[in-house]
């Protein structure tokens, strides 16, 4: 927000680009932190006789009991702990390669009192609230045995993206929103060098009242791109469930409609200002 406010007051040149970069970095960081907060809110581990279920945001892992070779704490791990590169409060995520060649993937909120679940190909690091109770319940379930065989399941955010891309309606709406955002940015980029001043205020007769540097037209594609990204991400969130897919279509369609409105506003400003 600070970068956006500074852009509205900056003149054309490196200073404006610096504020634009600040705005884009802030927007990217905010989007990432919002996802981390959502992932933490939805995070959970559940134990059943058939499988262990790990859920972290859009990442889901179902591990059949028959596929689990061992469950250990950090003390019993047998090799030095390799922490992931991403370690934020409430979001210890990422993967590392262990000395034996296996992948170690983290689903944790902190790096203390971790529990490790080992399979033939991969190890999962989790942070249950009570590690001792988690291990006790796991041992009880293993002794009871499975009633049925549950298949392994791995769900990654990339799977959702491929699913959305295979949907023709969703693909066309997202592409249309992206093309409109790009077109708006290109038009403004061509207009700014050829027009020194523009007006965004008009009287009752349509005559311009106050002129400002044309570089401030860049706010139109910046705002439109922000709406497009917000609609895209929120649409992906709703698309996960079949009953909410209509909301995803409405969001992606609204980004198309918003892009048309911004293009119309740009043409109106150029013609009258």
């Amino acid at each position: 927000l600070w970068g956006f406010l500074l852009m509205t007051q900056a003149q054309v040149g490196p200073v404006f680009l610096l504020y634009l970069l600040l705005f884009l970095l802030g927007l990217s960081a905010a989007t990432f932190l919002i996802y981390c907060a959502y992932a933490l809110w939805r995070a959970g581990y559940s134990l059943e006789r058939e499988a262990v279920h790990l859920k972290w945001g859009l990442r889901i892992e179902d591990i059949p009991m028959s596929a689990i070779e061992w469950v250990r704490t950090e003390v019993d791990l047998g090799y030095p702990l390799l922490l992931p590169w991403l370690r934020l409060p409430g979001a210890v995520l990422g993967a590392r390669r262990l000395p034996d060649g296996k992948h170690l993937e983290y689903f944790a909120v902190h790096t203390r009192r971790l529990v490790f679940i080992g399979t033939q190909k991969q190890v999962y690091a989790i942070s249950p609230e009570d590690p001792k109770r988690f291990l006790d319940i796991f041992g009880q379930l293993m002794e009871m045995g499975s009633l049925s065989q549950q298949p392994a399941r791995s769900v990654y955010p990339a799977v959702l993206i491929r699913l959305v891309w295979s949907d023709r309606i969703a693909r066309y709406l997202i592409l249309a929103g992206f093309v409109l955002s790009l077109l708006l940015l290109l038009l403004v980029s061509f207009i700014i060098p050829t027009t020194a001043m523009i007006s965004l205020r008009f009287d009752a007769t349509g005559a311009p009242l106050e002129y400002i540097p044309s570089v401030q037209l860049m706010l139109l594609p910046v705002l439109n791109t922000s709406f497009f990204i917000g609609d895209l991400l929120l649409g992906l969130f709703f698309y996960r469930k079949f009953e909410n897919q209509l909301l995803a279509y409405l969001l992606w369609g609204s980004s198309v409609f918003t892009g048309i409105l911004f293009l119309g506003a740009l043409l109106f400003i150029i013609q009258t200002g």
Side-chain angles (χ1 to χ4, degrees), residues 37-188:
Y38 163 75
L40 178 60
W41 175 52
R42 299 286 295 174
Y45 320 122
S46 61
L47 293 168
E48 297 178 356
R49 294 178 66 174
E50 290 75 23
V52 175
H53 306 279
L54 310 179
K55 183 175 182 180
W56 202 279
L58 300 178
R59 178 75 172 93
I60 299 174
E61 191 73 30
D62 296 334
I63 312 170
M65 282 293 189
S66 59
I68 298 177
E69 296 182 343
W70 50 262
V71 176
R72 302 170 183 168
T73 61
E74 180 182 346
V75 177
D76 303 322
L77 195 57
Y79 38 75
L81 179 61
L82 298 176
L83 294 175
W85 304 114
L86 176 60
R87 299 195 296 273
L88 298 177
V92 180
L93 309 172
R96 298 294 300 272
R97 182 173 291 276
L98 297 174
D100 58 4
K102 293 183 180 180
H103 283 278
L104 170 61
E105 184 174 1
Y106 282 82
F107 294 76
V109 299
H110 51 67
T111 58
R112 307 181 310 276
R113 300 182 303 153
L114 295 174
V115 173
F116 298 87
I117 302 174
T119 65
Q120 184 178 5
K121 297 181 179 180
Q122 192 158 342
V123 178
Y124 304 91
I126 61 176
S127 56
E129 184 177 5
D130 189 341
K132 183 178 182 303
R133 183 166 179 265
F134 182 92
L135 293 173
D136 290 342
I137 295 176
F138 176 81
Q140 295 172 13
L141 293 175
M142 287 291 289
E143 292 177 359
M144 295 170 63
S146 302
L147 296 175
S148 61
Q149 184 68 25
Q150 178 168 328
R153 182 173 71 126
S154 298
V155 177
Y156 295 86
V159 176
L160 175 62
I161 295 175
R162 288 198 298 268
L163 183 63
V164 170
W165 192 252
S166 64
D167 186 328
R168 181 179 299 179
I169 298 177
R171 182 170 69 249
Y172 287 167
L173 288 175
I174 294 174
L175 284 176
F178 174 76
V179 170
L180 286 171
S181 299
L182 183 61
L183 179 60
L184 185 64
L185 177 62
L186 292 176
L187 287 176
V188 171

Side-chain angles (χ1 to χ4, degrees), residues 160 164 167 169-171 173-174 228 230-256:
L160 175 62
V164 170
D167 186 328
I169 298 177
R171 182 170 69 249
L173 288 175
I174 294 174
F228 170 73
D231 289 337
L232 175 63
L233 297 178
L234 196 57
L236 290 173
F237 172 79
F238 284 118
Y239 193 87
R240 297 174 304 127
K241 298 182 179 180
F242 178 78
E243 60 271 19
N244 294 334
Q245 288 184 0
L246 179 60
L247 295 176
Y249 294 140
L250 289 175
L251 284 167
W252 296 329
S254 68
S255 67
V256 177

